[in-house]
Short mmCIF file of all heavy atoms in Angstrom, two decimals:
data_model
loop_
_atom_site.label_atom_id
_atom_site.label_comp_id
_atom_site.label_asym_id
_atom_site.label_seq_id
_atom_site.Cartn_x
_atom_site.Cartn_y
_atom_site.Cartn_z
N TYR A 2 -8.68 45.58 -18.84
CA TYR A 2 -9.74 46.59 -18.76
C TYR A 2 -9.53 47.52 -17.57
O TYR A 2 -9.64 48.75 -17.71
CB TYR A 2 -11.10 45.90 -18.67
CG TYR A 2 -12.26 46.86 -18.58
CD1 TYR A 2 -12.75 47.49 -19.72
CD2 TYR A 2 -12.85 47.16 -17.35
CE1 TYR A 2 -13.81 48.39 -19.64
CE2 TYR A 2 -13.91 48.04 -17.26
CZ TYR A 2 -14.38 48.66 -18.40
OH TYR A 2 -15.44 49.55 -18.33
N HIS A 3 -9.25 46.97 -16.41
CA HIS A 3 -9.16 47.78 -15.20
C HIS A 3 -7.86 48.58 -15.10
O HIS A 3 -7.85 49.69 -14.53
CB HIS A 3 -9.30 46.89 -13.95
CG HIS A 3 -10.71 46.43 -13.72
ND1 HIS A 3 -11.16 45.20 -14.15
CD2 HIS A 3 -11.77 47.03 -13.10
CE1 HIS A 3 -12.44 45.06 -13.80
NE2 HIS A 3 -12.82 46.14 -13.17
N PHE A 4 -6.76 48.05 -15.65
CA PHE A 4 -5.46 48.70 -15.46
C PHE A 4 -4.93 49.37 -16.72
O PHE A 4 -3.92 50.09 -16.64
CB PHE A 4 -4.43 47.68 -14.96
CG PHE A 4 -4.72 47.17 -13.58
CD1 PHE A 4 -5.31 45.94 -13.39
CD2 PHE A 4 -4.42 47.94 -12.46
CE1 PHE A 4 -5.59 45.47 -12.12
CE2 PHE A 4 -4.70 47.48 -11.19
CZ PHE A 4 -5.29 46.24 -11.01
N VAL A 5 -5.56 49.16 -17.87
CA VAL A 5 -5.08 49.79 -19.11
C VAL A 5 -6.17 50.64 -19.76
O VAL A 5 -5.99 51.84 -19.98
CB VAL A 5 -4.57 48.73 -20.11
CG1 VAL A 5 -4.13 49.40 -21.42
CG2 VAL A 5 -3.43 47.93 -19.52
N LEU A 6 -7.31 50.03 -20.06
CA LEU A 6 -8.34 50.75 -20.82
C LEU A 6 -9.01 51.85 -19.99
O LEU A 6 -9.22 52.96 -20.48
CB LEU A 6 -9.40 49.77 -21.32
CG LEU A 6 -8.92 48.71 -22.32
CD1 LEU A 6 -10.07 47.83 -22.77
CD2 LEU A 6 -8.27 49.36 -23.53
N VAL A 7 -9.37 51.55 -18.75
CA VAL A 7 -10.05 52.55 -17.91
C VAL A 7 -9.13 53.72 -17.57
O VAL A 7 -9.54 54.89 -17.72
CB VAL A 7 -10.62 51.88 -16.64
CG1 VAL A 7 -11.14 52.93 -15.68
CG2 VAL A 7 -11.73 50.90 -17.00
N PRO A 8 -7.88 53.50 -17.12
CA PRO A 8 -7.01 54.66 -16.85
C PRO A 8 -6.74 55.53 -18.07
O PRO A 8 -6.61 56.75 -17.96
CB PRO A 8 -5.71 54.02 -16.33
CG PRO A 8 -6.14 52.71 -15.78
CD PRO A 8 -7.24 52.24 -16.68
N LEU A 9 -6.66 54.90 -19.26
CA LEU A 9 -6.41 55.66 -20.48
C LEU A 9 -7.69 56.17 -21.14
O LEU A 9 -7.64 56.77 -22.22
CB LEU A 9 -5.63 54.80 -21.48
CG LEU A 9 -4.23 54.36 -21.05
CD1 LEU A 9 -3.60 53.45 -22.10
CD2 LEU A 9 -3.34 55.58 -20.80
N LYS A 10 -8.83 55.90 -20.49
CA LYS A 10 -10.15 56.31 -21.02
C LYS A 10 -10.40 55.75 -22.42
O LYS A 10 -10.88 56.45 -23.32
CB LYS A 10 -10.27 57.84 -21.03
CG LYS A 10 -10.19 58.45 -19.64
CD LYS A 10 -10.34 59.96 -19.69
CE LYS A 10 -10.26 60.55 -18.27
NZ LYS A 10 -10.40 62.02 -18.27
N LEU A 11 -10.05 54.47 -22.59
CA LEU A 11 -10.26 53.77 -23.86
C LEU A 11 -11.22 52.59 -23.69
O LEU A 11 -11.14 51.62 -24.43
CB LEU A 11 -8.92 53.26 -24.41
CG LEU A 11 -7.87 54.33 -24.75
CD1 LEU A 11 -6.56 53.67 -25.13
CD2 LEU A 11 -8.37 55.23 -25.88
N SER A 12 -12.12 52.70 -22.74
CA SER A 12 -13.03 51.58 -22.48
C SER A 12 -13.96 51.28 -23.64
O SER A 12 -14.49 50.18 -23.74
CB SER A 12 -13.85 51.86 -21.22
OG SER A 12 -14.58 53.07 -21.36
N TYR A 13 -14.17 52.25 -24.53
CA TYR A 13 -15.03 52.00 -25.70
C TYR A 13 -14.40 51.04 -26.70
O TYR A 13 -15.06 50.56 -27.61
CB TYR A 13 -15.37 53.34 -26.40
CG TYR A 13 -14.16 54.11 -26.88
CD1 TYR A 13 -13.64 53.92 -28.16
CD2 TYR A 13 -13.53 55.03 -26.06
CE1 TYR A 13 -12.54 54.62 -28.60
CE2 TYR A 13 -12.43 55.74 -26.49
CZ TYR A 13 -11.93 55.54 -27.76
OH TYR A 13 -10.83 56.24 -28.20
N LEU A 14 -13.10 50.77 -26.52
CA LEU A 14 -12.41 49.82 -27.40
C LEU A 14 -12.37 48.41 -26.81
O LEU A 14 -11.62 47.57 -27.32
CB LEU A 14 -10.97 50.30 -27.65
CG LEU A 14 -10.79 51.60 -28.43
CD1 LEU A 14 -9.33 51.99 -28.49
CD2 LEU A 14 -11.36 51.47 -29.84
N ASN A 15 -13.15 48.18 -25.77
CA ASN A 15 -13.03 46.89 -25.07
C ASN A 15 -13.36 45.69 -25.96
O ASN A 15 -12.71 44.65 -25.88
CB ASN A 15 -13.89 46.87 -23.80
CG ASN A 15 -15.36 47.13 -24.10
OD1 ASN A 15 -15.76 47.32 -25.25
ND2 ASN A 15 -16.16 47.17 -23.05
N THR A 16 -14.35 45.81 -26.86
CA THR A 16 -14.71 44.67 -27.71
C THR A 16 -13.56 44.29 -28.64
O THR A 16 -13.18 43.12 -28.75
CB THR A 16 -15.96 45.00 -28.54
OG1 THR A 16 -17.04 45.31 -27.66
CG2 THR A 16 -16.35 43.81 -29.41
N ILE A 17 -12.98 45.28 -29.31
CA ILE A 17 -11.88 45.01 -30.24
C ILE A 17 -10.67 44.46 -29.49
O ILE A 17 -10.03 43.49 -29.93
CB ILE A 17 -11.50 46.29 -31.01
CG1 ILE A 17 -12.68 46.77 -31.85
CG2 ILE A 17 -10.28 46.06 -31.89
CD1 ILE A 17 -12.45 48.09 -32.55
N VAL A 18 -10.36 45.08 -28.36
CA VAL A 18 -9.20 44.63 -27.58
C VAL A 18 -9.42 43.21 -27.06
O VAL A 18 -8.50 42.37 -27.11
CB VAL A 18 -8.94 45.61 -26.42
CG1 VAL A 18 -7.86 45.05 -25.50
CG2 VAL A 18 -8.52 46.97 -26.95
N PHE A 19 -10.63 42.90 -26.60
CA PHE A 19 -10.90 41.57 -26.07
C PHE A 19 -10.80 40.51 -27.16
O PHE A 19 -10.30 39.40 -26.91
CB PHE A 19 -12.29 41.53 -25.44
CG PHE A 19 -12.39 42.26 -24.13
CD1 PHE A 19 -11.28 42.90 -23.59
CD2 PHE A 19 -13.58 42.33 -23.43
CE1 PHE A 19 -11.35 43.58 -22.38
CE2 PHE A 19 -13.67 43.00 -22.23
CZ PHE A 19 -12.56 43.63 -21.70
N ILE A 20 -11.26 40.83 -28.37
CA ILE A 20 -11.15 39.86 -29.48
C ILE A 20 -9.69 39.57 -29.77
O ILE A 20 -9.29 38.40 -29.94
CB ILE A 20 -11.86 40.41 -30.74
CG1 ILE A 20 -13.37 40.43 -30.53
CG2 ILE A 20 -11.52 39.55 -31.96
CD1 ILE A 20 -14.13 41.09 -31.66
N LEU A 21 -8.87 40.61 -29.84
CA LEU A 21 -7.45 40.42 -30.10
C LEU A 21 -6.77 39.65 -28.97
O LEU A 21 -5.93 38.77 -29.22
CB LEU A 21 -6.77 41.78 -30.29
CG LEU A 21 -7.22 42.59 -31.50
CD1 LEU A 21 -6.55 43.96 -31.51
CD2 LEU A 21 -6.92 41.84 -32.79
N VAL A 22 -7.15 39.97 -27.73
CA VAL A 22 -6.55 39.28 -26.59
C VAL A 22 -6.91 37.80 -26.60
O VAL A 22 -6.05 36.93 -26.38
CB VAL A 22 -7.02 39.94 -25.27
CG1 VAL A 22 -6.67 39.06 -24.08
CG2 VAL A 22 -6.37 41.31 -25.12
N ILE A 23 -8.18 37.46 -26.86
CA ILE A 23 -8.61 36.05 -26.87
C ILE A 23 -7.93 35.29 -27.99
O ILE A 23 -7.45 34.16 -27.79
CB ILE A 23 -10.14 35.97 -26.99
CG1 ILE A 23 -10.80 36.50 -25.71
CG2 ILE A 23 -10.59 34.55 -27.26
CD1 ILE A 23 -12.29 36.69 -25.82
N ALA A 24 -7.87 35.89 -29.19
CA ALA A 24 -7.20 35.22 -30.31
C ALA A 24 -5.71 35.00 -30.01
O ALA A 24 -5.17 33.91 -30.26
CB ALA A 24 -7.37 36.04 -31.58
N ALA A 25 -5.05 36.03 -29.48
CA ALA A 25 -3.63 35.89 -29.15
C ALA A 25 -3.42 34.88 -28.03
O ALA A 25 -2.47 34.09 -28.04
CB ALA A 25 -3.06 37.25 -28.75
N LEU A 26 -4.33 34.89 -27.06
CA LEU A 26 -4.22 33.95 -25.93
C LEU A 26 -4.35 32.51 -26.40
O LEU A 26 -3.58 31.63 -25.98
CB LEU A 26 -5.28 34.27 -24.89
CG LEU A 26 -5.32 33.37 -23.66
CD1 LEU A 26 -4.02 33.47 -22.88
CD2 LEU A 26 -6.49 33.76 -22.76
N VAL A 27 -5.31 32.25 -27.28
CA VAL A 27 -5.49 30.89 -27.78
C VAL A 27 -4.27 30.44 -28.57
O VAL A 27 -3.80 29.29 -28.43
CB VAL A 27 -6.77 30.80 -28.65
CG1 VAL A 27 -6.85 29.45 -29.36
CG2 VAL A 27 -8.01 31.00 -27.79
N GLN A 28 -3.72 31.32 -29.39
CA GLN A 28 -2.53 30.97 -30.15
C GLN A 28 -1.33 30.73 -29.23
O GLN A 28 -0.54 29.80 -29.44
CB GLN A 28 -2.19 32.09 -31.14
CG GLN A 28 -3.20 32.24 -32.26
CD GLN A 28 -3.29 31.01 -33.13
OE1 GLN A 28 -2.28 30.38 -33.47
NE2 GLN A 28 -4.51 30.63 -33.49
N PHE A 29 -1.20 31.56 -28.20
CA PHE A 29 -0.09 31.38 -27.25
C PHE A 29 -0.22 30.06 -26.50
O PHE A 29 0.76 29.33 -26.33
CB PHE A 29 -0.07 32.55 -26.26
CG PHE A 29 0.92 32.38 -25.16
CD1 PHE A 29 2.28 32.57 -25.37
CD2 PHE A 29 0.51 32.00 -23.88
CE1 PHE A 29 3.20 32.40 -24.35
CE2 PHE A 29 1.42 31.83 -22.85
CZ PHE A 29 2.77 32.03 -23.09
N VAL A 30 -1.44 29.77 -26.03
CA VAL A 30 -1.67 28.51 -25.31
C VAL A 30 -1.39 27.32 -26.22
O VAL A 30 -0.79 26.32 -25.80
CB VAL A 30 -3.10 28.47 -24.76
CG1 VAL A 30 -3.43 27.09 -24.22
CG2 VAL A 30 -3.29 29.51 -23.67
N GLU A 31 -1.80 27.44 -27.48
CA GLU A 31 -1.56 26.34 -28.43
C GLU A 31 -0.07 26.10 -28.63
O GLU A 31 0.39 24.95 -28.61
CB GLU A 31 -2.23 26.68 -29.77
CG GLU A 31 -2.15 25.56 -30.79
CD GLU A 31 -2.87 25.91 -32.07
OE1 GLU A 31 -3.41 27.03 -32.17
OE2 GLU A 31 -2.90 25.06 -32.99
N MET A 32 0.69 27.16 -28.83
CA MET A 32 2.14 27.01 -29.02
C MET A 32 2.82 26.50 -27.75
O MET A 32 3.73 25.67 -27.81
CB MET A 32 2.75 28.34 -29.45
CG MET A 32 2.36 28.79 -30.84
SD MET A 32 3.24 30.27 -31.39
CE MET A 32 2.63 31.48 -30.20
N PHE A 33 2.37 27.00 -26.59
CA PHE A 33 2.96 26.57 -25.32
C PHE A 33 2.74 25.08 -25.07
O PHE A 33 3.67 24.35 -24.70
CB PHE A 33 2.35 27.40 -24.17
CG PHE A 33 2.84 26.98 -22.82
CD1 PHE A 33 4.08 27.37 -22.35
CD2 PHE A 33 2.04 26.19 -22.00
CE1 PHE A 33 4.53 26.98 -21.10
CE2 PHE A 33 2.47 25.79 -20.75
CZ PHE A 33 3.73 26.20 -20.30
N LEU A 34 1.50 24.62 -25.30
CA LEU A 34 1.21 23.20 -25.09
C LEU A 34 1.94 22.32 -26.11
O LEU A 34 2.39 21.22 -25.78
CB LEU A 34 -0.30 22.96 -25.19
CG LEU A 34 -1.16 23.55 -24.07
CD1 LEU A 34 -2.63 23.27 -24.33
CD2 LEU A 34 -0.75 23.01 -22.72
N LYS A 35 2.08 22.82 -27.33
CA LYS A 35 2.76 22.04 -28.36
C LYS A 35 4.24 21.84 -28.03
O LYS A 35 4.82 20.78 -28.31
CB LYS A 35 2.63 22.75 -29.72
CG LYS A 35 3.12 21.93 -30.90
CD LYS A 35 2.86 22.64 -32.21
CE LYS A 35 3.32 21.81 -33.39
NZ LYS A 35 3.04 22.50 -34.68
N LYS A 36 4.85 22.83 -27.38
CA LYS A 36 6.26 22.74 -27.04
C LYS A 36 6.51 22.00 -25.73
O LYS A 36 7.46 21.23 -25.61
CB LYS A 36 6.87 24.15 -26.95
CG LYS A 36 6.95 24.88 -28.27
CD LYS A 36 8.00 24.28 -29.18
CE LYS A 36 8.16 25.09 -30.45
NZ LYS A 36 9.16 24.50 -31.37
N THR A 37 5.67 22.24 -24.74
CA THR A 37 5.94 21.71 -23.40
C THR A 37 5.17 20.43 -23.07
O THR A 37 5.71 19.53 -22.44
CB THR A 37 5.60 22.78 -22.34
OG1 THR A 37 4.23 23.16 -22.47
CG2 THR A 37 6.48 24.01 -22.53
N ILE A 38 3.90 20.37 -23.47
CA ILE A 38 3.07 19.19 -23.14
C ILE A 38 2.43 18.68 -24.44
O ILE A 38 1.24 18.90 -24.70
CB ILE A 38 1.97 19.53 -22.11
CG1 ILE A 38 2.53 20.37 -20.97
CG2 ILE A 38 1.35 18.26 -21.54
CD1 ILE A 38 1.50 20.83 -19.99
N PRO A 39 3.19 18.02 -25.29
CA PRO A 39 2.63 17.57 -26.58
C PRO A 39 1.49 16.57 -26.45
O PRO A 39 0.61 16.52 -27.31
CB PRO A 39 3.85 16.94 -27.29
CG PRO A 39 4.82 16.64 -26.20
CD PRO A 39 4.60 17.68 -25.14
N SER A 40 1.50 15.78 -25.37
CA SER A 40 0.41 14.81 -25.20
C SER A 40 -0.92 15.52 -24.99
O SER A 40 -1.95 15.14 -25.57
CB SER A 40 0.71 13.89 -24.02
OG SER A 40 0.86 14.65 -22.81
N LEU A 41 -0.93 16.58 -24.17
CA LEU A 41 -2.15 17.35 -23.96
C LEU A 41 -2.55 18.10 -25.22
O LEU A 41 -3.74 18.21 -25.55
CB LEU A 41 -1.95 18.34 -22.81
CG LEU A 41 -3.15 19.22 -22.45
CD1 LEU A 41 -4.35 18.38 -22.08
CD2 LEU A 41 -2.78 20.17 -21.32
N TYR A 42 -1.56 18.60 -25.95
CA TYR A 42 -1.84 19.30 -27.21
C TYR A 42 -2.52 18.37 -28.21
O TYR A 42 -3.49 18.76 -28.88
CB TYR A 42 -0.54 19.86 -27.78
CG TYR A 42 -0.68 20.45 -29.16
CD1 TYR A 42 -1.20 21.73 -29.33
CD2 TYR A 42 -0.28 19.73 -30.29
CE1 TYR A 42 -1.32 22.27 -30.60
CE2 TYR A 42 -0.40 20.27 -31.56
CZ TYR A 42 -0.92 21.54 -31.71
OH TYR A 42 -1.05 22.08 -32.96
N GLU A 43 -2.02 17.15 -28.32
CA GLU A 43 -2.63 16.19 -29.24
C GLU A 43 -4.00 15.75 -28.76
O GLU A 43 -4.89 15.46 -29.56
CB GLU A 43 -1.71 14.97 -29.40
CG GLU A 43 -0.41 15.29 -30.12
CD GLU A 43 0.49 14.08 -30.23
OE1 GLU A 43 0.08 13.00 -29.74
OE2 GLU A 43 1.59 14.20 -30.78
N ALA A 44 -4.20 15.69 -27.44
CA ALA A 44 -5.51 15.29 -26.92
C ALA A 44 -6.57 16.34 -27.24
O ALA A 44 -7.70 16.01 -27.58
CB ALA A 44 -5.41 15.08 -25.41
N LEU A 45 -6.20 17.63 -27.14
CA LEU A 45 -7.16 18.68 -27.46
C LEU A 45 -7.40 18.78 -28.96
O LEU A 45 -8.52 19.04 -29.40
CB LEU A 45 -6.65 20.03 -26.92
CG LEU A 45 -6.60 20.15 -25.40
CD1 LEU A 45 -5.99 21.50 -25.02
CD2 LEU A 45 -7.97 20.01 -24.79
N GLY A 46 -6.35 18.56 -29.75
CA GLY A 46 -6.50 18.51 -31.19
C GLY A 46 -7.04 19.80 -31.77
O GLY A 46 -6.62 20.91 -31.43
N VAL A 47 -8.04 19.66 -32.64
CA VAL A 47 -8.58 20.81 -33.36
C VAL A 47 -9.46 21.68 -32.48
O VAL A 47 -9.78 22.81 -32.83
CB VAL A 47 -9.39 20.31 -34.58
CG1 VAL A 47 -10.69 19.64 -34.13
CG2 VAL A 47 -9.69 21.44 -35.56
#
């Protein structure tokens, strides 16, 4: 928000961008834990 959306004057897109960022972040964290720390990945489960 502070370094991309505000300088480009796209702050009105913050809701859409945040949804995409959170979804991508969760998927990235899931893949990262599955590859590197499978025990923690299985503990978190669904």
Side-chain angles (χ1 to χ4, degrees):
Y2 180 79
H3 286 95
F4 293 100
V5 178
L6 296 182
V7 172
L9 297 177
K10 298 181 180 180
L11 298 174
S12 58
Y13 59 90
L14 295 175
N15 58 0
T16 302
I17 297 175
V18 173
F19 288 0
I20 291 174
L21 296 175
V22 167
I23 292 170
L26 179 62
V27 171
Q28 292 298 319
F29 173 76
V30 171
E31 185 177 2
M32 291 187 296
F33 177 78
L34 292 178
K35 189 175 181 179
K36 292 290 185 181
T37 58
I38 316 175
S40 59
L41 180 58
Y42 173 79
E43 293 178 0
L45 293 176
V47 71

